[in-house]
Amino acid sequence: MGKVSLEGIEFHAYHGVFKEETKLGNRFTVDIHVNTDFKKAMLKDSLKDTVDYGKLYNIAKSHMQEPVKLLEHLAHLMIQDILKVYPDLLSIGIVIKKHNPALGGVVNYSVVTVNYPDDYV
């Protein structure tokens, strides 16, 4: 078993509950971690035997372009699409950070972490 991760993927997007968030947008950072069996890839040096992180990036990018209210929902949508492409994954972790959330004070990030299968039980 092994882990494939993308960390620090940055986007400007329009997710949020408040009107200002949907108009002005905000900076977001996404981390994706997947656990899989990539023994064949280690032995055969073939991309088809592992998780293509380019595909993971494109899934994140497509969902960041479609505004939603909650980061929890956004992470869930990403996990659903990752499982469509890689149904045999052992686990998936999505971390989404909203930079400088509009809370009336200084806050670096609001962070949501969703893990499959743990949060799906």
Side-chain angles (χ1 to χ4, degrees), residues 1 8 14 23 31 34 40 46-47 50 53 56 59 67-68 70 73 75 78-79 84-85 87 92 103 107-108 113 117:
M1 183 168 95
Y14 299 87
K23 284 190 174 191
D31 298 335
V34 300
K40 282 186 184 178
S46 174
L47 183 58
T50 190
Y53 49 80
L56 296 179
I59 289 169
V68 298
L70 301 178
H73 182 65
M78 288 182 192
I79 288 170
K84 286 177 188 173
V85 178
I92 304 169
L103 298 174
V107 178
N108 288 332
T113 302

Side-chain angles (χ1 to χ4, degrees), residues 9-73:
I9 312 167
E10 292 204 12
F11 299 98
H12 185 87
Y14 299 87
H15 308 295
V17 174
F18 302 113
K19 187 177 180 180
E20 302 82 31
E21 295 175 307
T22 62
K23 284 190 174 191
L24 299 174
N26 204 338
R27 189 169 140 219
F28 294 84
T29 302
V30 177
D31 298 335
I32 302 172
H33 306 279
V34 300
N35 286 298
T36 187
D37 180 354
F38 55 50
K39 285 182 192 171
K40 282 186 184 178
M42 290 169 38
L43 298 171
K44 296 184 178 188
D45 195 26
S46 174
L47 183 58
K48 72 178 182 66
D49 294 321
T50 190
V51 174
D52 180 347
Y53 49 80
K55 289 181 181 180
L56 296 179
Y57 174 84
N58 287 328
I59 289 169
K61 181 180 176 183
S62 71
H63 285 290
M64 292 305 292
Q65 294 172 344
E66 294 294 325
V68 298
K69 293 177 185 170
L70 301 178
L71 300 181
E72 295 88 339
H73 182 65

